[in-house]
Amino acid sequence: MPVQVITPPAPIVTPADIPGSHAADDPAIAAMIAAVTEDIDGPGGWLGRSLGKQTLELSLSSERPDCSPRSFPPSMVKLPYLPVITDAVSVKYLDRDDTVQTVDPSDYKVFDDAVWFNPEFVFPAVAAAPDAIRIRYDAGYDGDGRNGPVPARAKQTIILCVQDLMRLQASNFAVRSETVEGVGATNYLDQDRVSAIVESACERLLARLWVPVL
């Protein structure tokens, strides 16, 4: 069941959240935040969860041209990349003339991150297409309602990863030891050791948020 990103996720961390002397709208830091977020969030990320509010579209294929209306789709369709914003879900389908039609919202309800079709609802005949039924929905943390704000552990993970990227760009980070006569010596951790520590911390922070995507 392919999921397409219609509207990318809203940023959940800004450059102002990253410790340092950079500007609050530093474009280089913003690019790092975007790269880290893309690696974690939504359909493109490994977390299996939506963090920033985003619009997604799940496509369901009619497996055969003679698919019976009562057998397709199932009475319940689980929406991936939760949490789902329940008041922003729409169901459309392609009819046999390849015309997009909209299912009346009274024919289904959204509960527990899934679309439940009413028992008496008979789904119309659909086209033989890989995207015969399209469920568009908003997902992520909306700051209010039942989803609430983005988990603090998710924000902290992005901040830690961005700081790691910033260290990679530091000109003196590769120095193992620097001695100034009469002053003293400064020791630096190897980047691979620091990255391993950061990666381990991030995995622990996000472990409780990870959702397997079937």
Side-chain angles (χ1 to χ4, degrees):
M1 295 188 295
V3 178
Q4 179 183 1
V5 178
I6 304 300
T7 303
I12 63 174
V13 171
T14 69
D17 297 317
I18 310 297
S21 58
H22 52 269
D25 59 350
D26 188 299
I29 304 298
M32 292 181 192
I33 292 171
V36 170
T37 303
E38 183 179 355
D39 190 48
I40 297 172
D41 194 1
W46 61 264
L47 188 60
R49 178 182 293 270
S50 297
L51 297 174
K53 183 180 178 182
Q54 54 200 282
T55 301
L56 308 176
E57 186 171 274
L58 171 67
S59 297
L60 299 174
S61 169
S62 55
E63 298 178 349
R64 57 191 188 278
D66 61 342
C67 193
S68 167
R70 282 198 175 277
S71 64
F72 178 75
S75 59
M76 183 273 283
V77 177
K78 192 72 174 177
L79 300 177
Y81 306 107
L82 52 84
V84 173
I85 299 174
T86 57
D87 60 352
V89 177
S90 65
V91 181
K92 298 180 184 293
Y93 65 95
L94 279 176
D95 64 19
R96 289 296 174 87
D97 296 322
D98 286 332
T99 301
V100 177
Q101 305 288 351
T102 301
V103 177
D104 193 306
S106 65
D107 289 323
Y108 60 88
K109 65 179 178 180
V110 182
F111 178 76
D112 195 24
D113 297 310
V115 175
W116 298 77
F117 292 97
N118 297 339
E120 65 276 10
F121 175 62
V122 177
F123 215 92
V126 299
D131 57 348
I133 293 181
R134 304 145 183 194
I135 303 178
R136 184 170 294 193
Y137 60 102
D138 286 351
Y141 294 89
D142 51 5
D144 53 21
R146 78 175 185 89
N147 292 354
V150 176
R153 62 181 59 240
K155 287 188 174 183
Q156 188 59 43
T157 297
I158 293 174
I159 291 171
L160 283 174
C161 290
V162 171
Q163 288 179 302
D164 196 28
L165 289 177
M166 292 169 65
R167 279 191 291 268
L168 278 171
Q169 292 191 339
S171 60
N172 63 346
F173 192 78
V175 179
R176 177 63 177 169
S177 179
E178 183 179 67
T179 303
V180 178
E181 187 175 352
V183 176
T186 302
N187 295 316
Y188 298 84
L189 284 172
D190 292 331
Q191 174 58 35
D192 56 350
R193 292 181 61 193
V194 174
S195 294
I197 293 170
V198 171
E199 182 178 355
S200 177
C202 291
E203 288 178 353
R204 290 197 304 272
L205 283 169
L206 292 178
R208 291 173 57 187
L209 296 176
W210 177 73
V211 179
V213 178
L214 302 178

